[in-house]
Amino acid sequence: MKQNYKIIIGLEIHVQLKTKSKMFCSCSNQAENKAPNTLVCPVCMGLPGTLPVPNQKAIEWAIKAGLALECAINQTSKFDRKNYFYPDLPKGYQISQYDLPIGEKGMFEFYSQKDSKEKSVRIRRVHIEEDAGKLMHQGKDSLVDYNRAGTPLLEIVTEPDLCDPQDTKIFLQDLRQLMRHLDISFADMEKGHLRCDANINLIFGENQATPIAEIKNLNSFKSVESALIYEAKRQFDEFSKNNNIFSKGAKTTRSWDEKAGVTKLLRSKEEEADYRYFPEPDIPNLKFDDEFLEQIKSSLPSTPKENLTWAVEVLKINIKDAKALLSDLKNFEHFKRTIELGADPQKTARLILNKYANFKSRYKIYDFEEFGIKPEYTKSASTLLSRFNNQIENSVVEEMFKTKADPEYIIKEQDYKTTNEKDTKEIISSVINENKDAVSDFKQGKGQALGFLVGAVMKKTRGQVDPKTVQKILKELLK
Ligand code: ZN
Ligand code: MN
């Protein structure tokens, strides 16, 4: 039995674009928490005689994503009908793109924490299509909600360049970050804004391989990783049992059962021809001239990768903090503006990651500045707070989020006393100078005099220092 094998993984990723309206009609695209079938019209319901009109913003955003993924953008692009029957697809076909997608032959690099290496994955294509509705099963009944039908989707197809489940998860996380960074999708996997199908098989030596399995609708990063780990092992066991499975074997479609922790056979995979693609006759070809593409190119923000390099190499922030900071674009923007004011990068990064995170979730803050935390405040917090102990630091930050006031003002107002070692020493020295009697008592061996001095320091700092530290410093100074 051959033991040496390689895992081959390729992904098809669907990203919901957060445009105001749907892909081909003016229905609202904000379907979250809306009553079923309230965001529908004859166009997205596919009624006869209606005409689809492409959403310009969605096309621009798809080009933006294509450029960020280093794709060649097709100057002529077109829509095609992908025909299949399913109850959540009102028209009986999906408007998608077949042979002239928005972009092709791209590349996405991600940083694998697994072996601390940059890795690149080729992007086969990036195209636009519309989402289907949602089926809901209640007991014996199946209900359908068409609110989501017609939501613009960006489909990103990779070449099979991934070879490890954990890397695949990291790749997807970085891709999500890029989508958020481009400001084109909320890209929340749990909410279905970002969905992933994974193709996986194993290659044994030169000419033996297991048949490709496509695992459908993975809807969390964890399930992507677990499903791939499980499926690789399942294929290996299967191969070992038969020792003779070639890639000619039928491709299969499988689902991931999160609870049971297994993939299950759904069906043998539909081949491309089953979809009977043909050009969408109701939408003229899209033509993009150089000027238009140039305009989009110049609007691209620096990529997350460029930002990471900047944070690590220029600002000297450790990579773990830099990655954490970049995983939330709004955190990063706030960080950047604070740094521009001259704040210390590492201190600011830690402040945002360690102290702000709490309040961000407590007050459901999306954007700090919108909420009322100015970069100036973060700057004064990052400079002032290191002079205080953890407890005071927390109170000041809490007060800042509550009152939206400058930490400098809060510290003055509350009359917080500095508690770093240097300042504490100064206070202790002054207490020593002011209490000559107690000092000489202590030097003559009267132990309780030390307690008196500690008390004096505590009184002076209004209890904002650690008594044990005070005792230690006092003993040193009185030696
Ligand atoms: Zn509609
Ligand atoms: Mn698709």
Side-chain angles (χ1 to χ4, degrees):
M1 187 178 72
K2 286 183 194 160
Q3 291 288 342
N4 286 334
Y5 66 94
K6 200 177 165 202
I7 305 178
I8 306 286
I9 300 166
L11 302 176
E12 283 168 33
I13 301 137
H14 287 94
V15 182
Q16 274 184 9
L17 298 176
K18 57 175 190 183
T19 47
K20 283 202 183 74
S21 56
K22 291 187 182 180
M23 188 62 221
F24 299 109
C25 62
S26 54
C27 286
S28 164
N29 188 32
Q30 276 86 53
E32 218 166 290
N33 304 323
K34 297 288 184 341
N37 299 309
T38 52
L39 308 178
V40 293
C41 76
V43 175
C44 53
M45 295 298 285
L47 299 187
T50 55
L51 286 173
V53 178
N55 182 328
Q56 182 168 350
K57 199 89 230 157
I59 292 170
E60 280 177 28
W61 285 358
I63 294 174
K64 214 170 155 182
L67 288 170
L69 290 166
E70 298 176 41
C71 286
I73 304 299
N74 284 318
Q75 292 201 289
T76 301
S77 185
K78 75 177 195 347
F79 288 104
D80 299 272
R81 289 189 184 177
K82 180 181 180 178
N83 298 279
Y84 63 95
F85 176 76
Y86 204 68
D88 64 8
L89 190 71
K91 293 196 289 287
Y93 60 85
Q94 177 191 33
I95 304 180
S96 180
Q97 296 193 283
Y98 184 55
D99 54 341
L100 285 174
I102 290 289
E104 293 176 271
K105 298 193 182 77
M107 177 78 83
F108 185 62
E109 286 174 350
F110 70 104
Y111 182 83
S112 163
Q113 282 122 320
K114 203 182 165 223
D115 34 20
S116 307
K117 248 198 244 156
E118 287 281 353
K119 294 185 179 171
S120 50
V121 172
R122 288 168 300 153
I123 303 296
R124 183 178 296 168
R125 55 188 277 142
V126 170
H127 73 248
I128 301 173
E129 59 187 31
E130 56 179 340
D131 210 344
K134 248 186 216 166
L135 282 180
M136 289 172 290
H137 305 284
Q138 293 184 352
K140 281 185 192 151
D141 297 323
S142 285
L143 304 171
V144 60
D145 173 11
Y146 289 116
N147 281 351
R148 201 180 66 179
T151 282
L153 290 181
L154 186 71
E155 181 169 332
I156 301 168
V157 183
T158 77
E159 296 292 346
D161 289 346
L162 288 151
C163 46
D164 175 85
Q166 195 189 340
D167 272 353
T168 306
K169 180 183 76 179
I170 297 167
F171 166 86
L172 264 181
Q173 285 170 334
D174 282 12
L175 190 71
R176 169 184 66 175
Q177 188 190 324
L178 178 67
M179 294 302 124
R180 289 184 176 169
H181 186 77
L182 295 172
D183 211 17
I184 62 176
S185 174
F186 296 111
D188 198 332
M189 260 196 119
E190 278 70 16
K191 287 183 179 161
H193 306 145
L194 181 79
R195 309 194 287 269
C196 172
D197 303 335
N199 288 288
I200 174 172
N201 73 329
L202 311 181
I203 293 185
F204 295 81
E206 289 277 287
N207 47 22
Q208 276 194 308
T210 54
I212 296 172
E214 179 180 16
I215 314 171
K216 279 283 189 196
N217 286 325
L218 296 163
N219 54 15
S220 72
F221 293 111
K222 192 175 141 266
S223 61
V224 169
E225 188 181 16
S226 324
L228 288 171
I229 290 173
Y230 173 86
E231 182 59 20
K233 186 173 178 307
R234 190 195 67 79
Q235 290 187 13
F236 181 81
D237 292 345
E238 190 99 327
F239 180 89
S240 308
K241 238 193 302 178
N242 305 320
N243 200 16
N244 192 22
I245 300 172
F246 295 89
S247 53
K248 289 186 190 74
K251 281 184 184 178
T252 54
T253 301
R254 305 182 72 87
S255 66
W256 169 242
D257 183 335
E258 181 85 51
K259 267 199 202 122
V262 298
T263 62
K264 288 178 179 163
L265 184 67
L266 279 179
R267 56 183 178 265
S268 65
K269 193 174 156 50
E270 295 97 343
E271 291 306 321
E272 225 167 43
D274 292 346
Y275 292 125
R276 292 171 292 119
Y277 277 100
F278 64 84
E280 165 60 60
D282 291 335
I283 305 174
N285 285 0
L286 306 167
K287 304 240 187 232
F288 312 123
D289 59 25
D290 292 335
E291 198 188 333
F292 177 71
L293 292 180
E294 217 30 68
Q295 211 178 310
I296 297 180
K297 217 177 255 176
S298 64
S299 76
L300 283 180
S302 51
T303 66
K305 206 179 142 250
E306 286 163 350
N307 287 336
L308 185 70
T309 311
W310 175 68
V312 174
E313 284 169 19
V314 181
L315 302 178
K316 309 287 175 208
I317 294 176
N318 72 56
I319 185 139
K320 199 169 153 252
D321 285 351
K323 285 215 85 166
L325 206 53
L326 272 160
S327 70
D328 185 318
L329 182 62
K330 290 293 168 189
N331 274 0
F332 185 72
E333 283 174 350
H334 185 71
F335 165 79
K336 220 167 138 182
R337 281 190 278 273
T338 308
I339 297 306
E340 279 161 10
L341 296 173
D344 176 81
Q346 184 67 60
K347 273 186 195 164
T348 307
R350 304 247 71 165
L351 179 72
I352 292 174
L353 292 172
N354 297 341
K355 306 274 178 200
Y356 284 17
N358 259 332
F359 300 101
K360 196 164 174 161
S361 56
R362 188 193 299 175
Y363 294 111
K364 296 195 169 46
I365 300 170
Y366 170 63
D367 179 332
F368 288 119
E369 278 132 79
E370 224 173 73
F371 178 77
I373 306 296
K374 297 181 186 166
E376 287 83 359
Y377 296 179
T378 301
K379 189 197 167 198
S380 51
S382 73
T383 19
L384 293 170
L385 290 181
S386 53
R387 291 172 38 209
F388 298 89
N389 67 18
N390 207 30
Q391 198 191 334
I392 295 177
E393 244 179 82
N394 288 339
S395 326
V396 173
V397 173
E398 178 153 16
E399 193 69 14
M400 173 176 73
F401 277 91
K402 226 186 262 168
T403 61
K404 294 164 191 172
D406 193 323
E408 198 176 345
Y409 170 83
I410 295 168
I411 289 165
K412 258 187 216 140
E413 189 73 357
Q414 305 281 331
D415 197 22
Y416 285 124
K417 291 287 185 287
T418 177
T419 47
N420 72 16
E421 192 146 337
K422 185 170 159 279
D423 293 336
T424 308
K425 259 186 186 159
E426 273 167 28
I427 293 169
I428 293 174
S429 302
S430 72
V431 165
I432 289 174
N433 288 333
E434 287 157 17
N435 295 279
K436 296 262 160 55
D437 291 348
V439 171
S440 69
D441 282 354
F442 176 72
K443 283 186 171 160
Q444 282 160 31
K446 289 185 185 160
Q448 68 268 38
L450 187 69
F452 173 79
L453 290 169
V454 171
V457 175
M458 296 308 285
K459 201 171 161 199
K460 208 160 191 168
T461 59
R462 300 191 311 134
Q464 286 158 10
V465 285
D466 172 32
K468 275 194 191 125
T469 316
V470 174
Q471 213 172 59
K472 201 185 101 218
I473 297 173
L474 262 172
K475 277 183 183 162
E476 271 167 27
L477 292 178
L478 293 177
K479 242 184 237 166

